[in-house]
Amino acid sequence: MQPTDSELLAYLDEALDPPAMAAIEQHLRASPELRERTAQLVRRRDQGEHSVGEVWRRGRLSCP
C-alpha cells in the first residue's frame, strides 16, 4: 500500500514512529514514482503552500 501525502510529509518531518519511517523508506527505495511524488510535495511545501493542518503538523502544535 502506497503512503498518503500526509504520511510522506510526516516522514519528511521525521514525525512518524520508527517502523512507519522504515516502511516508507523501503517504498521510496523501490518506487521512482513515489520518489517523484515526494519531490513534488517538497516543492509545493517550499513554495509556501500551507494549510492550517500543515502548519499544525510542522509546528507540532497542541491544543491549549
Side-chain angles (χ1 to χ4, degrees):
M1 184 172 111
Q2 292 287 323
T4 65
D5 288 353
S6 56
E7 289 171 329
L8 289 172
L9 290 169
Y11 169 82
L12 293 169
D13 293 336
E14 298 180 6
L16 298 174
D17 59 38
M21 293 285 289
I24 290 177
E25 187 171 332
Q26 285 180 334
H27 282 296
L28 286 167
R29 288 178 189 226
S31 172
E33 295 84 12
L34 185 58
R35 288 193 300 271
E36 177 56 33
R37 192 171 116 214
T38 304
Q40 288 174 357
L41 289 170
V42 170
R43 285 190 295 273
R44 189 170 39 188
R45 185 168 71 176
D46 289 347
Q47 290 174 353
E49 292 183 27
H50 300 288
S51 68
V52 172
E54 177 66 22
V55 171
W56 195 274
R57 283 187 296 278
R58 287 185 88 188
R60 296 187 177 148
L61 303 174
S62 62
C63 294

